[in-house]
Amino acid sequence: MINAVGRDIPEEILKITGKEVFQGNHYRDGYTYKKNGPETKCVINNTESKLVDNIRQVLVKCGIRDGMTLSFHHHFREGDYIINMVMEEVYKMGIKDITICASSLGKAHDPIVPYIEEGVITEIQSSGVRGKIGEAISAGKLKGLAVMRSHGGRVRAIESGETKIDIAFIGTPTCDDYGNCRGIGGKNDCGVLSYAVVDADYADKVVAITDCLVPFPNFPAHISMTKVDYVVVVDEIGDSKKIATGAAKPTTDMRKLMMAEYCTQFVTHAPYFKDGFSYQTGVGGASIASTISLAKIMKEKNVRMRFGVGGLTKPMCDLLVNGQVDCLLDTQDFDLAAVESVKDLKHFRISAGEYANPFNKGAVVNKLDFVILAALEVDVNFNCNVVVDSNGMITGAQGGHPDTAAGAKCSIVIVPLLQGRTPAVCSEVTTVTTPGESIDVVVTDYGIAINPQRKDLIACMKGVDLPFKTIEQLRDIAYSIAGEPQKVPFGDRVVGIIESRDGTIMDVVRQVKPFEFSE
Amino acid sequence: MINAVGRDIPEEILKITGKEVFQGNHYRDGYTYKKNGPETKCVINNTESKLVDNIRQVLVKCGIRDGMTLSFHHHFREGDYIINMVMEEVYKMGIKDITICASSLGKAHDPIVPYIEEGVITEIQSSGVRGKIGEAISAGKLKGLAVMRSHGGRVRAIESGETKIDIAFIGTPTCDDYGNCRGIGGKNDCGVLSYAVVDADYADKVVAITDCLVPFPNFPAHISMTKVDYVVVVDEIGDSKKIATGAAKPTTDMRKLMMAEYCTQFVTHAPYFKDGFSYQTGVGGASIASTISLAKIMKEKNVRMRFGVGGLTKPMCDLLVNGQVDCLLDTQDFDLAAVESVKDLKHFRISAGEYANPFNKGAVVNKLDFVILAALEVDVNFNCNVVVDSNGMITGAQGGHPDTAAGAKCSIVIVPLLQGRTPAVCSEVTTVTTPGESIDVVVTDYGIAINPQRKDLIACMKGVDLPFKTIEQLRDIAYSIAGEPQKVPFGDRVVGIIESRDGTIMDVVRQVKPFEFSE
């Protein structure tokens, strides 16, 4: 069945998943549903200890068995030790058919690929997958489906009961013996525990894993003891120095700086750029550079930001230090400067649900004026792809991309016209992850295209000295330089679905064919 | 059927309520149940306003109809305007058969008595009731049952789905246009919104009512916008000056000072009195005096408190100011000094669930060393009554009494031997609200009785210079002075039930007979 972004979703996938095809951003607005609730074991007596000696014992106490769903959060990013630690024990115990429900998976988790191959892990739900797990899924090694969800979509899936977590594992920088978790104060801080909040709220069993046990009460708790069954102390939960691995540093790449400058010029000429505006940006080099150049113009024009949202990096935190923003709302820290900044009284933690869940009574993304995003590909319908590379391999994550793009009044995608030798602006993206209706502006190094649906923005930019073009013109330039890209030779089998934030199906990802030399 | 505290619970009541009789504090430890979830209407679009002009319109938007359950919190105590404001509109709209689920009800709500008489309100669930509502219930004017629950028991009832709230009304000192509520920062601060947290989590519709609208985001939110459907701005939500009405000031009553001194001597000789101990006390004159005298001894003996819990008053907050306690955990502020103290970074807000819910994975009360409580009556089995006066009239509230008494390692009840001309230590309390197994020590102005079950405490107090007596000796002294009290001449009809914190029935309250002069 063809969905609202023109993708043909196989009937069989609709049948297996029980899902509908994507029908547009506003389809489920006002929808009413009953939230799920966890199976909770009461602790009435005051004599019980929640401390358990090791991962194996806690798996036994939680009643680990074949077919369970285990959940994890990714605040430690490339420095995470928890998933591998838990899955190694699960494997050793001979457990099979586990579904991993992670807020994201990265290269740190390459060691679990053998468990995928051996059927210990048979389904994966994640924002996305980088590294060898992505390759394994694209190669068809996962028995079941990989479900790729946005950060907001994950909260929706869990709160609605679509995903039922049997055991949640929460790597926490500090914890007391009764399970009060904090993202800060230990030897490996990650700043916030935002993605894990929904896991703690809805999993039947919740295990806090820490390398820094502190006296009760570890308050203010980011995750409450009232949700935690067991506490396990291990040597190291992760390596916080690796949180920033892969994240961009301020760039010197002239092309990125130019795009950042275009973006900032656009932002400052948009009607939302005024005292009290709100802003989010990603972790790409051009995004970070645009925050730095925006800060400069804000100072010149004496315009103050009300709140910044993220996925935060040092340049956003600098706004707070320099008194250019009233407060920051934080779901994740991309570098140690951001982790440190969380101690500021105006740097507020928010849960992933508060950030982006489309199925609550209103998330922060709905209050965004601007979001600055990146993409692997954008097509002439403004559809974006942030998960599958142009070879068809799963290599990225939705993150908050579809959530913020849908919520913000002005969503801007910065993308170089060519990614290496491949056109990034194209006729049709390999995989749709964010629908074109959510994207207002595409900024490239060869010009800026405004979504024709945004006649107001087009009118507003009349006379502004920026290289405006149509999206088709940008594609044509890309194709004239690098040629029209060939279609990826996908196989038939669907290995993953790209879930829309409301749970409908945006696209499917098919198995990649082994590379063959053309004759 | 006779329950674990010897009360005969009528079969008919068990049938109507579907409840079991109380079977002891530990009966439900380890019990596993599925938590309920609210019907939630999604706000996906970023164009909607949550602001509604007035109470009537918000009732219409929430689909108010006969038979609904409306919930309220009592942080404004005698200064609360919300309940009367909402119920007046409900009455004007001709709605009937409303169940009120309030965290407590007091004299401020006398104006709703006519709605009870007219069948607008037919059931009441509350920690207790003071003032004319109590009289109306005891006189049999409420059509249905009044259910009296502890603060922890209320959270249990709501989270388990036993009580389903249709519309929750949250009076909030500050709120932004998207529903982020804070207990502080407005013209009528109440400090915390702890009792309302569960209402926001589990009610189908949640209405924030404020007299101080502030810019988005009103962070850190004590109740999140993700739970709030509508925001109504009114002239005044309450009068914070009346929060402290009725609460005790430091006493000069020699009898109370003596009991406070006995209590403090007992505490400081108990094994739990050491660096890092935890402590809660109530709002009665003797309780407050005991905090003051305890602070003095802590200083002398160089003993530091790890955390204080409450229901907080100035003397507890002074411990923080004076560096004698690491932190305070706060569910309610009993005076404006406590409201002001909430701004201290070590004065932490906790929800009623974190405080006392027996049906989560462990509440703060389980970590208490000492709790100092009051009572209307204590009997020779150490059962306490804090709800019904010796004339049989409902006049008090369970509050956190049964929760803290069950959770604390050492629970001490301070009670004058005679309340006016009535023995407060008696053979059998009028109504059991807290079971004797939860009470370790009774301190009176005529002596101190240790629960014989606590052989460890009895051994510990050998040689301590305090007037120890058996509880029977205390009763006998009381009876020798004031005579054995006559049984209250209750009628047959059950007008209310005293629910145990685990949802079983502790006792029933019957209609009082009109007073008759004896011949």
Side-chain angles (χ1 to χ4, degrees):
Chain A
M1 187 185 285
I2 307 288
N3 71 9
V5 288
R7 294 292 156 137
D8 191 0
I9 311 302
E11 295 298 331
E12 198 196 327
I13 294 298
L14 296 174
K15 208 170 139 191
I16 294 170
T17 60
K19 288 180 171 296
E20 296 181 71
V21 299
F22 177 64
Q23 307 193 28
N25 278 347
H26 306 293
Y27 175 53
R28 284 284 181 90
D29 185 59
Y31 169 71
T32 299
Y33 72 106
K34 188 175 162 61
K35 284 194 180 179
N36 199 22
E39 295 276 336
T40 301
K41 188 174 173 190
C42 310
V43 178
I44 297 179
N45 292 353
N46 62 6
T47 48
E48 287 160 48
S49 170
K50 294 188 181 183
L51 290 170
V52 177
D53 282 349
N54 55 47
I55 301 290
R56 189 184 187 98
Q57 281 186 23
V58 92
L59 285 167
V60 172
K61 276 183 176 280
C62 290
I64 183 78
R65 59 172 190 276
D66 292 357
M68 274 188 162
T69 297
L70 311 186
S71 85
F72 303 91
H73 70 88
H74 75 289
H75 291 286
F76 277 98
R77 299 178 59 79
E78 295 305 327
D80 176 62
Y81 293 172
I82 299 288
I83 295 184
N84 299 347
M85 191 187 293
V86 171
M87 290 315 300
E88 186 183 348
E89 284 303 325
V90 170
Y91 166 74
K92 284 184 186 165
M93 292 169 84
I95 305 293
K96 297 275 177 191
D97 289 328
I98 292 296
T99 295
I100 297 265
C101 173
S103 55
S104 207
L105 293 167
K107 289 174 191 163
H109 310 116
D110 285 354
I112 70 169
V113 168
Y115 309 144
I116 294 173
E117 291 165 345
E118 294 186 40
V120 178
I121 298 164
T122 48
E123 288 185 44
I124 288 177
Q125 303 175 5
S126 178
S127 165
V129 275
R130 294 189 169 86
K132 292 198 192 305
I133 299 175
E135 292 169 22
I137 295 170
S138 283
K141 290 181 179 170
L142 186 72
K143 193 174 156 200
L145 278 177
V147 179
M148 261 78 77
R149 293 186 171 117
S150 71
H151 290 326
R154 179 174 191 266
V155 180
R156 176 205 58 74
I158 296 168
E159 291 196 355
S160 67
E162 182 181 314
T163 291
K164 177 74 222 163
I165 301 169
D166 294 297
I167 315 174
F169 296 90
I170 299 173
T172 177
T174 60
C175 192
D176 62 36
D177 68 346
Y178 225 42
N180 289 298
C181 303
R182 280 170 59 77
I184 204 139
K187 55 183 178 177
N188 283 297
D189 287 348
C190 57
V192 303
L193 295 173
S194 307
Y195 296 125
V197 171
V198 69
D199 305 47
D201 282 349
Y202 287 86
D204 288 348
K205 295 291 179 191
V206 177
V207 178
I209 305 178
T210 192
D211 52 15
C212 183
L213 194 70
V214 298
F216 181 91
N218 188 27
F219 273 19
H222 304 155
I223 287 172
S224 170
M225 63 191 177
T226 61
K227 317 285 174 67
V228 174
D229 295 273
Y230 303 112
V231 178
V232 182
V233 182
V234 298
D235 289 340
E236 299 281 346
I237 56 170
D239 180 355
S240 56
K241 290 189 297 296
K242 291 189 182 163
I243 287 174
T245 308
K249 295 183 184 68
T251 184
T252 53
D253 179 332
M254 287 309 294
R255 195 179 52 155
K256 287 182 184 169
L257 289 174
M258 184 172 68
M259 291 193 291
E261 188 54 33
Y262 287 166
C263 177
T264 295
Q265 285 302 321
F266 191 95
V267 164
T268 54
H269 286 91
Y272 317 113
F273 181 70
K274 57 188 176 195
D275 244 16
F277 78 109
S278 58
Y279 179 85
Q280 174 168 350
T281 185
V283 73
S287 296
I288 287 182
S290 71
T291 305
I292 294 168
S293 64
L294 181 63
K296 207 171 147 227
I297 296 196
M298 285 167 62
K299 202 168 177 185
E300 285 165 17
K301 303 207 169 185
N302 200 24
V303 169
R304 188 179 167 81
M305 194 185 288
R306 174 61 182 156
F307 63 94
V309 185
L312 295 177
T313 53
K314 184 172 183 300
M316 286 294 284
C317 300
D318 285 345
L319 292 176
L320 194 59
V321 172
N322 297 329
Q324 295 189 276
V325 65
D326 290 344
C327 61
L328 297 176
L329 311 185
D330 187 352
T331 56
Q332 183 176 9
D333 296 313
F334 283 122
D335 56 35
L336 291 178
V339 170
E340 191 59 25
S341 168
V342 176
K343 295 172 188 168
D344 189 293
L345 289 178
K346 289 293 178 182
H347 185 141
F348 301 124
R349 292 168 177 87
I350 55 174
S351 69
E354 288 177 293
Y355 171 47
N357 177 11
F359 270 30
N360 63 30
K361 295 171 181 175
V364 163
V365 295
N366 293 356
K367 287 288 196 176
L368 271 176
D369 289 321
F370 297 100
V371 65
I372 318 298
L373 297 162
L376 297 167
E377 298 173 335
V378 189
D379 70 22
V380 291
N381 295 309
F382 289 81
N383 296 319
C384 290
N385 165 26
V386 294
V387 168
V388 178
D389 72 13
S390 52
N391 297 319
M393 199 70 83
I394 298 172
T395 191
Q398 293 204 49
H401 200 286
D403 301 308
T404 53
K409 292 192 185 69
C410 182
S411 56
I412 301 174
V413 171
I414 302 182
V415 64
L417 198 65
L418 301 173
Q419 306 260 27
R421 286 291 301 161
T422 310
V425 179
C426 55
S427 298
E428 201 177 25
V429 289
T430 308
T431 307
V432 181
T433 56
T434 301
E437 65 171 306
S438 297
I439 305 297
D440 300 309
V441 185
V442 174
V443 173
T444 75
D445 40 352
Y446 285 77
I448 301 169
I450 302 175
N451 190 324
Q453 299 297 318
R454 292 302 303 267
K455 293 189 175 59
D456 57 330
L457 287 176
I458 292 170
C460 197
M461 293 296 154
K462 283 258 160 68
V464 173
D465 184 24
L466 280 170
F468 289 108
K469 296 197 164 51
T470 66
I471 191 80
E472 290 81 4
Q473 285 172 327
L474 290 176
R475 176 212 41 203
D476 293 345
I477 298 170
Y479 284 12
S480 72
I481 299 169
E484 183 170 347
Q486 288 195 313
K487 287 255 172 193
V488 177
F490 281 115
D492 281 336
R493 191 190 151 208
V494 172
V495 295
I497 62 170
I498 305 292
E499 206 179 83
S500 157
R501 53 195 306 250
D502 68 6
T504 56
I505 300 185
M506 187 68 70
D507 209 343
V508 297
V509 182
R510 291 176 191 270
Q511 187 168 342
V512 289
K513 282 187 179 167
F515 183 78
E516 287 170 16
F517 285 96
S518 49
E519 306 257 329
Chain B
M1 186 185 285
I2 305 288
N3 71 10
V5 289
R7 294 293 157 137
D8 190 1
I9 311 301
E11 295 298 333
E12 198 195 326
I13 293 297
L14 295 174
K15 208 170 139 192
I16 293 171
T17 60
K19 289 181 172 294
E20 296 180 70
V21 300
F22 176 65
Q23 308 194 28
N25 279 346
H26 305 293
Y27 174 53
R28 284 285 181 89
D29 185 58
Y31 170 70
T32 298
Y33 72 106
K34 187 175 162 62
K35 284 194 181 181
N36 199 20
E39 294 277 336
T40 300
K41 188 174 173 189
C42 310
V43 177
I44 296 179
N45 293 353
N46 62 7
T47 48
E48 286 161 49
S49 169
K50 293 187 181 182
L51 291 169
V52 177
D53 281 348
N54 55 49
I55 301 291
R56 189 182 188 100
Q57 281 186 23
V58 93
L59 286 167
V60 173
K61 276 183 176 281
C62 291
I64 182 79
R65 60 173 189 275
D66 292 357
M68 274 189 162
T69 297
L70 311 186
S71 86
F72 303 91
H73 69 89
H74 76 290
H75 291 286
F76 277 97
R77 298 177 60 80
E78 294 307 326
D80 177 61
Y81 293 172
I82 299 288
I83 295 185
N84 300 347
M85 192 187 294
V86 170
M87 290 314 300
E88 187 184 345
E89 284 303 325
V90 169
Y91 166 74
K92 283 185 187 165
M93 292 170 84
I95 305 293
K96 298 274 177 190
D97 290 328
I98 292 296
T99 296
I100 298 265
C101 173
S103 54
S104 205
L105 293 167
K107 289 174 192 164
H109 309 117
D110 285 354
I112 71 169
V113 168
Y115 310 145
I116 294 172
E117 291 166 344
E118 293 185 40
V120 179
I121 299 163
T122 48
E123 287 185 45
I124 287 176
Q125 303 176 4
S126 177
S127 165
V129 275
R130 292 188 171 87
K132 292 198 191 307
I133 299 174
E135 292 169 22
I137 295 169
S138 284
K141 290 180 177 170
L142 186 72
K143 194 176 156 198
L145 277 177
V147 179
M148 261 78 78
R149 292 186 172 118
S150 72
H151 290 326
R154 181 175 189 264
V155 180
R156 176 205 56 74
I158 295 168
E159 291 196 355
S160 67
E162 182 181 314
T163 290
K164 176 74 221 164
I165 301 170
D166 294 298
I167 316 174
F169 296 90
I170 299 172
T172 177
T174 61
C175 192
D176 62 36
D177 67 346
Y178 224 43
N180 289 297
C181 302
R182 281 169 58 77
I184 204 139
K187 55 183 178 178
N188 283 298
D189 288 347
C190 58
V192 304
L193 294 172
S194 306
Y195 297 123
V197 170
V198 69
D199 305 47
D201 282 349
Y202 287 86
D204 288 349
K205 295 291 179 190
V206 177
V207 178
I209 305 177
T210 191
D211 52 15
C212 183
L213 194 70
V214 298
F216 182 91
N218 188 28
F219 272 21
H222 304 154
I223 287 174
S224 170
M225 63 190 176
T226 61
K227 316 285 173 69
V228 174
D229 294 274
Y230 303 112
V231 178
V232 182
V233 182
V234 297
D235 289 340
E236 300 281 347
I237 57 170
D239 180 355
S240 56
K241 290 188 296 297
K242 291 189 181 163
I243 287 175
T245 307
K249 296 182 184 67
T251 184
T252 53
D253 178 333
M254 286 310 293
R255 193 180 54 155
K256 288 182 182 167
L257 288 172
M258 183 172 69
M259 292 193 291
E261 188 54 34
Y262 288 167
C263 176
T264 295
Q265 285 301 322
F266 191 96
V267 165
T268 54
H269 286 91
Y272 316 114
F273 182 71
K274 57 188 178 197
D275 243 16
F277 79 108
S278 59
Y279 179 83
Q280 175 169 350
T281 182
V283 73
S287 297
I288 286 182
S290 71
T291 305
I292 295 168
S293 64
L294 181 64
K296 206 170 148 229
I297 296 195
M298 284 168 63
K299 202 169 176 183
E300 285 166 18
K301 302 208 169 183
N302 200 23
V303 169
R304 189 179 167 80
M305 193 184 287
R306 173 61 181 156
F307 63 94
V309 186
L312 296 176
T313 53
K314 184 173 184 301
M316 286 294 284
C317 300
D318 286 345
L319 292 175
L320 193 60
V321 172
N322 297 330
Q324 295 188 277
V325 65
D326 290 345
C327 61
L328 297 177
L329 311 185
D330 186 352
T331 56
Q332 182 176 11
D333 296 313
F334 284 121
D335 56 36
L336 292 177
V339 170
E340 190 60 25
S341 168
V342 176
K343 296 171 187 168
D344 188 295
L345 289 177
K346 290 292 180 184
H347 185 141
F348 301 124
R349 291 169 178 87
I350 54 174
S351 69
E354 289 176 293
Y355 171 48
N357 178 12
F359 270 30
N360 64 29
K361 294 170 182 176
V364 163
V365 294
N366 293 355
K367 288 287 197 177
L368 271 176
D369 289 320
F370 297 101
V371 65
I372 317 298
L373 297 163
L376 296 167
E377 299 173 335
V378 188
D379 70 22
V380 291
N381 296 310
F382 288 82
N383 297 319
C384 290
N385 166 25
V386 294
V387 168
V388 177
D389 72 14
S390 52
N391 296 318
M393 199 71 81
I394 298 172
T395 192
Q398 294 204 48
H401 200 286
D403 302 308
T404 53
K409 293 192 185 68
C410 182
S411 55
I412 302 174
V413 171
I414 301 183
V415 65
L417 199 66
L418 300 174
Q419 306 260 27
R421 285 291 301 161
T422 310
V425 179
C426 55
S427 299
E428 200 177 25
V429 289
T430 308
T431 307
V432 180
T433 58
T434 300
E437 65 172 305
S438 296
I439 304 297
D440 300 309
V441 185
V442 174
V443 173
T444 75
D445 40 351
Y446 285 78
I448 301 169
I450 303 175
N451 190 326
Q453 300 297 320
R454 292 302 303 269
K455 294 190 174 59
D456 57 331
L457 287 177
I458 293 170
C460 197
M461 293 297 153
K462 285 257 161 68
V464 173
D465 183 24
L466 280 171
F468 289 108
K469 297 199 163 52
T470 67
I471 191 81
E472 290 82 3
Q473 285 172 328
L474 290 176
R475 175 208 48 199
D476 293 345
I477 299 169
Y479 284 11
S480 72
I481 299 170
E484 183 170 346
Q486 289 194 311
K487 286 256 172 191
V488 177
F490 281 114
D492 282 337
R493 191 190 150 207
V494 172
V495 295
I497 62 172
I498 304 293
E499 206 179 82
S500 157
R501 53 195 306 248
D502 69 5
T504 56
I505 300 185
M506 186 67 71
D507 208 342
V508 297
V509 181
R510 291 177 192 269
Q511 188 168 342
V512 289
K513 282 187 180 168
F515 183 77
E516 287 170 16
F517 286 97
S518 49
E519 306 259 329

